[in-house]
Amino acid sequence: MKYDFKTIEKKWQDRWDSENTFAARDDYSMPKFYALVEFPYPSGQGLHVGHPRSYTALDIVSRKKRLQGFNVLYPMGWDAFGLPTENYAIKNHIHPEIVTANNIKNFKRQLKMLGFSFDWSREINTTDPEYYKWTQWIFIQLFKKGLAYKKEMSVNWCTSCKCVLANEEVVNGVCERCGSEVIHKVKSQWMLKITEYADKLLEGLNDVNYIERVKTQQRNWIGRSTGAQVKFKTTAGDILEVYTTRCDTLFGATYMVVSPEHPFLEKWQDRLKNMDEIRAYQKEAAKKSDFERTEVVKDKTGVRLDGVTAINPVNGKEIPIFISDYVLVSYGTGAIMAVPAHDTRDWEFAKKFGLPIVEVVAGGEDIEKAAFTDCATGTLCNSGFLNGLSVEEAKVKMLEYLKENNLGEEKVNFKLRDWVFSRQRYWGEPIPVVHCPKCGYVTLPESELPLKLPEVDSYEPSETGESPLSKITDWVNTKCPKCGGDAQRETDTMPQWAGSSWYFLRYCDPHNKKELASKEALKYWMPVDWYNGGMEHTTLHLLYSRFWHKFLYDIGVVPTAEPYAKRTSHGMILGENGEKMSKSRGNVVNPDDIVNEYGADTMRLYEMFIGDFEKSAPWSPKSIRGCKRFLERVCALSEQLTDSDEYSKELEADFHRTVKKVTSDIDELKMNTAIAALMSLLNDIAAKGSITRGEFKTFITLLNPFAPHITEELWEKAGFEGELNGTEWPSFDEAKCQDATVEIVVQINGKIRLKLQVAADISAADAIALAKSQPGVAEAIEGKTVVKELYVPKKLVNIVVK
RNA sequence: GCGGGCGUGGCGGAAUUGGCAGACGCGCCAGACUUAGGAUCUGGUGUUUCCAACGUGCAGGUUCAAGUCCUGUCGCCCGCACCA
């Protein structure tokens, strides 16, 4: 049979489409499997070859699960709000809605051309008012529980676009869009209190099956630390509180540092004799961009406060206070106690300003040469009642002392910050809030949802940095839902992460007009059994959606505490030159070209065969031909069929082993070795020269999840019953995986001497005796003492002689 | 700096978790069929001084046996980055 992939793939895709072959069933008595891949942002560039790597992998899992009798939900949709679409719309004077519709059309065509078994009847789109109605609804619930609040805060401001930028839109301190300088500007922003869920997000990780690097990255991002909040008296009379994880080193605190933004500086301005110098430093610090503040190699700077000092609470010594930008206002109390002997940053600062360095943990190198920061080995010294204790013991004892004397208490801190939720843009979900001069911020009644984006001619950012929506006065001006008085709508929109924070729930019941999804549907389908996506979303989308889900769980909307039972991540597909694919590097591979030249089955197979799924791999235009050859050879098999429905004697063990391997490899996402096993089996079949119908049936069923079109075609051509996708996944018999005889290696002193064919179940004694009787072996042992004889079943005999 | 991961042929990568290193594929070499080959098929392909020895970044160690375990060291990639 000639491998006419174009005709074959079109034929089966049309049939799957018209028959809705892969729609999830509403039969809640069946065992379910919910497989999820990150829905794409439909960009103008179309599908990237990276997208199908993830989609194919879970398509394989889904197709196999269906054959194994599961009711599988494998859905797809569009995460379609976002800046690139809006920018394109502005530049080309086309409404974002139209741009989005066109891009989706192209994406959908490309996804269908690859033969994914998505349930298209559940397709969703975050820009559809019927969808974002529920995004807005969730926001209102967050607001009602006090988890959404408005706050004045410093944001990124592009001086050229006159527009607020998200952190991820600032690249190396300049605007990603125009390359102009980005400065800080204080604006009122909507925030979501994700910090309230920090502990739950951390603890929840213990109950889910995520790959370890995802868990660690989230744990680090949340950044929980335990320490002490300690009170220092000052000569100004105020108590200056600091947070420290090393309260054991308190005797070594020789100075203090507050951040340039610390409120006490204003309060103390009359006492401070060098206020001019302080103000100048504050101004410098405020001017610094994020880029400058995070530069690696940099000198510590600061100013000593003249007029206010502090008292070390444990030894009563008077110590100076500095301001320095190495202390962050946003973490802990915005002030620190400095222990130069045991903290690298404090050490650098102390060296620069000539401050005393007092060793309080002995066991390191010379304290004048470097700070000794190791917590595991040192012993306390110069520390009064702590002397002689280990660091851990000293922490406990110091904490007791602080508590007894009302000098401090235990404290937990997080690196996680609240989520800046507003964007001054048109193409996003409107925030369903009005501002009433009398009632303050009031959410819309749920009956008024969705609050639709107003139809406008111009959605360009305004000169003032307000959202484009602010110019639409008849939309902005409204009545307060509470008191009926004149009020104004919120003109900021939600960030792109909003719609994707709950989309997996909507798939369970996508057409529901009354709820975001019915209780029954959620109870049956949730949690997502397997979610695959990019590492770049670990501390954004993945964390945000866990937060929303946990909130929805707490208010009784969803039945599970965690949204995803399992999370895996795929590596990037790089350009041929090993660099990241990009237009500017000119190494982009277009899926349309590949499918056109080799077909969807070959492309799917190649993307799975390219290497370890979790690692990045360069695209190789030559290697893909090996996958095509493989499929052509499979087609050729259908001309060598013999009548038997059984496995042949020669290949029986081979088939059982391959069924076993492919089955477990798919579950472990080791698609490359599953394909290698099938190739290997094909080589064995080819060597034998014929294949039984039974063997062929198993072979194409195993291959089906990888190459669904050609295997359906071969199934039909061979006259098997029904369609392949309606059959059963092959089973294997553990006992039959083993050949009757195996080859073992005979070693003398660990060096291989020869190879032997033996019965698989030979006893150790027989194997050793047989090995010793072999020519060459006997001579080698002759006249020497046998120290040890080993037999590793089915592997080797090793005779150790002296 | 901290955290995570990785170093195996010319290339992408395997190795049942301590048991024949290099599966499978690409590339390359030779042959067959061909008017032709960037098609297909068959065989070969870690290195070298080829009946043998050496080989998984480097140096040690444990073991009958090490890519795999331990100690040290070098290099690369990703994430966070002055988080007290």
Side-chain angles (χ1 to χ4, degrees):
Chain A
M1 177 182 134
K2 192 183 164 279
Y3 181 29
D4 176 10
F5 59 83
K6 280 192 177 148
T7 310
I8 294 168
E9 289 175 0
K10 173 96 178 39
K11 167 183 165 184
W12 290 99
Q13 283 164 15
D14 287 350
R15 193 178 295 183
W16 296 335
D17 233 8
S18 64
E19 291 179 3
N20 235 341
T21 311
F22 303 110
R25 318 228 191 116
D26 289 324
D27 178 358
Y28 293 172
S29 67
M30 288 174 77
K32 68 98 182 180
F33 190 84
Y34 186 174
L36 184 68
V37 288
E38 288 166 351
F39 62 161
Y41 174 70
S43 73
Q45 278 93 52
L47 207 66
H48 180 273
V49 287
H51 289 113
R53 195 177 195 193
S54 172
Y55 302 164
T56 306
L58 282 210
D59 191 51
I60 289 165
V61 171
S62 295
R63 285 174 179 272
K64 173 181 152 258
K65 284 282 180 186
R66 284 193 200 95
L67 295 180
Q68 288 178 316
F70 286 85
N71 184 15
V72 172
L73 173 55
Y74 188 40
M76 182 41 72
W78 317 105
D79 187 14
F81 276 128
L83 190 65
T85 298
E86 191 171 332
N87 288 348
Y88 182 88
I90 291 167
K91 202 171 159 192
N92 298 285
H93 306 288
I94 309 172
H95 195 280
E97 211 171 294
I98 297 167
V99 177
T100 300
N102 287 341
N103 288 351
I104 287 177
K105 203 175 154 206
N106 187 40
F107 261 74
K108 197 165 172 178
R109 173 190 64 77
Q110 290 184 303
L111 291 180
K112 290 206 171 183
M113 125 195 130
L114 284 161
F116 297 124
S117 63
F118 294 129
D119 179 353
W120 288 106
S121 70
R122 293 176 187 244
E123 177 182 354
I124 59 171
N125 177 342
T126 56
T127 67
D128 178 353
E130 284 306 304
Y131 180 90
Y132 70 65
K133 170 182 178 176
W134 297 106
T135 313
Q136 292 172 330
W137 182 85
I138 296 170
F139 179 87
I140 290 173
Q141 310 314 309
L142 286 162
F143 182 87
K144 284 181 178 165
K145 295 286 176 185
L147 294 168
Y149 63 99
K150 209 158 189 191
K151 188 188 171 190
E152 287 276 318
M153 68 169 301
S154 172
V155 292
N156 304 301
W157 171 262
C158 173
T159 46
S160 163
C161 304
K162 299 197 189 314
C163 180
V164 172
L165 301 178
N167 287 331
E168 54 273 18
E169 287 147 11
V170 184
V171 179
N172 292 340
V174 299
C175 175
E176 171 195 56
R177 200 159 134 194
C178 67
S180 315
E181 190 193 358
V182 174
I183 60 164
H184 290 275
K185 191 165 177 159
V186 173
K187 271 191 75 71
S188 182
Q189 298 286 302
W190 282 99
M191 307 285 289
L192 294 189
K193 220 180 257 182
I194 189 171
T195 50
E196 191 125 309
Y197 276 77
D199 264 323
K200 280 187 178 174
L201 288 168
L202 196 60
E203 280 159 21
L205 290 174
N206 298 326
D207 308 324
V208 290
N209 176 19
Y210 293 3
I211 50 170
E212 210 48 44
R213 57 194 174 125
V214 169
K215 284 193 184 186
T216 337
Q217 215 166 295
Q218 288 208 345
R219 285 193 187 111
N220 291 344
W221 186 261
I222 294 167
R224 186 182 199 271
S225 72
T226 55
Q229 195 142 315
V230 186
K231 297 171 183 168
F232 282 66
K233 281 187 183 142
T234 64
T235 55
D238 296 295
I239 303 281
L240 184 55
E241 283 198 285
V242 301
Y243 172 74
T244 177
T245 54
R246 292 293 305 274
C247 66
D248 56 296
T249 63
L250 194 42
F251 281 93
T254 54
Y255 66 101
M256 297 184 81
V257 186
V258 299
S259 69
E261 301 87 351
H262 200 282
F264 277 7
L265 296 169
E266 285 309 305
K267 201 173 169 193
W268 292 345
Q269 55 180 307
D270 296 335
R271 289 171 173 274
L272 295 169
K273 292 171 199 151
N274 59 340
M275 203 58 205
D276 289 349
E277 201 185 346
I278 291 164
R279 289 216 193 283
Y281 187 83
Q282 285 177 317
K283 217 171 162 184
E284 265 319 290
K287 224 169 68 184
K288 279 186 188 171
S289 67
D290 285 346
F291 184 58
E292 285 169 315
R293 274 192 90 129
T294 57
E295 257 181 315
V296 186
V297 207
K298 75 176 194 191
D299 240 4
K300 292 278 181 290
T301 58
V303 175
R304 184 179 185 142
L305 303 191
D306 185 0
V308 182
T309 55
I311 311 294
N312 183 323
V314 291
N315 59 20
K317 281 188 185 154
E318 187 173 349
I319 56 175
I321 306 173
F322 287 77
I323 62 168
S324 174
D325 64 0
Y326 87 87
V327 173
L328 308 174
V329 71
S330 53
Y331 186 77
T333 63
I336 61 154
M337 64 175 208
V339 184
H342 306 291
D343 181 284
T344 311
R345 294 152 303 178
D346 298 345
W347 189 90
E348 285 167 7
F349 192 87
K351 275 287 171 196
K352 176 149 181 194
F353 287 85
L355 297 158
I357 299 172
V358 177
E359 183 178 53
V360 290
V361 183
E365 305 282 308
D366 184 359
I367 221 71
E368 288 300 321
K369 296 219 173 88
F372 175 53
T373 57
D374 184 10
C375 295
T377 57
T379 307
L380 275 285
C381 63
N382 300 323
S383 295
F385 63 94
L386 298 180
N387 284 341
L389 298 178
S390 72
V391 169
E392 285 314 311
E393 290 163 345
K395 279 184 187 174
V396 174
K397 191 126 187 202
M398 178 56 89
L399 211 51
E400 282 169 15
Y401 176 83
L402 292 172
K403 269 186 237 167
E404 277 164 23
N405 295 284
N406 195 27
L407 292 171
E409 56 188 4
E410 207 164 350
K411 174 86 183 171
V412 175
N413 253 312
F414 295 93
K415 288 189 197 174
L416 187 70
R417 295 295 132 80
D418 278 345
W419 174 6
V420 184
F421 197 68
S422 32
R423 299 292 129 95
Q424 293 69 34
R425 302 216 188 101
Y426 175 73
W427 198 227
E429 300 90 345
I431 294 177
V433 169
V434 299
H435 185 244
C436 170
K438 279 185 217 147
C439 312
Y441 293 109
V442 182
T443 53
L444 292 185
E446 288 169 21
S447 60
E448 283 184 27
L449 299 182
L451 170 61
K452 290 193 190 174
L453 273 172
E455 292 292 328
V456 289
D457 298 328
S458 164
Y459 25 80
E460 307 193 3
S462 68
E463 282 297 306
T464 56
E466 291 303 306
S467 159
L469 294 180
S470 65
K471 287 180 292 187
I472 310 159
T473 45
D474 55 346
W475 184 80
V476 172
N477 292 322
T478 184
K479 299 289 177 198
C480 170
K482 211 167 177 180
C483 70
D486 286 342
Q488 296 201 307
R489 289 192 196 280
E490 171 62 57
T491 57
D492 284 357
T493 54
M494 299 188 197
Q496 208 191 340
W497 312 106
S500 59
S501 289
W502 71 281
Y503 75 113
F504 47 90
L505 299 173
R506 190 64 177 170
Y507 284 138
C508 297
D509 191 9
H511 310 297
N512 194 321
K513 294 220 188 288
K514 296 199 182 90
E515 302 164 274
L516 59 81
S518 77
K519 287 266 186 304
E520 300 74 49
L522 291 172
K523 188 156 186 264
Y524 177 68
W525 288 114
M526 291 301 292
V528 172
D529 292 282
W530 192 337
Y531 190 20
N532 186 75
M535 279 309 286
E536 71 275 17
H537 291 133
T538 301
T539 53
L540 293 165
H541 158 66
L542 198 69
L543 196 65
Y544 293 155
S545 58
R546 287 184 62 225
F547 162 45
W548 277 35
H549 193 84
K550 285 185 169 299
F551 167 71
L552 292 172
Y553 176 70
D554 286 349
I555 63 167
V557 174
V558 298
T560 60
E562 285 286 340
Y564 322 116
K566 175 174 180 173
R567 169 78 178 189
T568 53
S569 197
H570 55 276
M572 252 192 303
I573 293 187
L574 305 170
E576 211 184 323
N577 53 3
E579 290 174 25
K580 200 172 163 176
M581 274 191 199
S582 72
K583 263 197 276 184
S584 58
R585 291 191 180 93
N587 58 356
V588 174
V589 176
N590 182 347
D592 284 313
D593 298 340
I594 302 301
V595 170
N596 191 40
E597 191 175 350
Y598 297 99
D601 283 335
T602 298
M603 165 133 176
R604 293 167 59 108
L605 204 59
Y606 174 62
E607 288 217 2
M608 293 300 99
F609 190 61
I610 196 167
D612 185 330
F613 184 73
E614 292 202 352
K615 288 187 199 143
S616 57
W619 184 267
S620 164
K622 277 185 176 160
S623 287
I624 193 169
R625 287 174 31 205
C627 293
K628 175 104 183 287
R629 271 177 214 153
F630 169 66
L631 292 180
E632 283 166 348
R633 292 176 66 206
V634 173
C635 288
L637 280 183
S638 63
E639 276 145 36
Q640 308 170 10
L641 287 186
T642 65
D643 239 359
S644 168
D645 289 333
E646 309 291 318
Y647 293 153
S648 63
K649 263 256 158 342
E650 304 93 303
L651 293 175
E652 187 182 36
D654 218 342
F655 265 90
H656 280 276
R657 273 199 301 268
T658 308
V659 172
K660 183 183 177 185
K661 175 136 186 79
V662 172
T663 305
S664 61
D665 275 358
I666 290 175
D667 290 334
E668 291 162 39
L669 225 39
K670 289 156 76 173
M671 306 305 181
N672 54 337
T673 50
I675 294 166
L678 287 169
M679 288 173 165
S680 203
L681 178 58
L682 176 66
N683 289 344
D684 294 342
I685 294 165
K688 181 171 168 268
S690 72
I691 179 168
T692 69
R693 285 176 61 82
E695 287 167 346
F696 189 61
K697 194 172 186 175
T698 296
F699 193 92
I700 59 174
T701 307
L702 290 178
L703 182 60
N704 173 259
F706 299 89
H709 311 87
I710 182 61
T711 46
E712 280 288 2
E713 183 70 14
L714 290 170
W715 180 276
E716 191 180 74
K717 281 265 164 12
F720 294 129
E721 205 184 322
E723 288 183 9
L724 207 175
N725 65 71
T727 188
E728 274 177 31
W729 187 251
S731 59
F732 65 93
D733 182 346
E734 188 67 57
K736 289 182 179 164
C737 287
Q738 186 62 58
D739 285 308
T741 63
V742 291
E743 190 183 66
I744 62 164
V745 173
V746 178
Q747 299 180 332
I748 294 171
N749 289 344
K751 296 249 193 270
I752 296 152
R753 284 297 129 120
L754 53 91
K755 293 173 183 183
L756 281 179
Q757 284 291 327
V758 298
D761 56 357
I762 191 171
S763 72
D766 288 351
I768 290 164
L770 182 67
K772 283 161 108 175
S773 71
Q774 295 301 308
V777 177
E779 290 87 325
I781 331 180
E782 184 78 44
K784 295 187 177 149
T785 321
V786 175
V787 182
K788 207 175 212 174
E789 295 168 330
L790 293 113
Y791 173 62
V792 181
K794 297 167 199 169
K795 299 282 182 210
L796 56 81
V797 168
N798 190 10
I799 300 163
V800 186
V801 295
K802 244 188 204 162

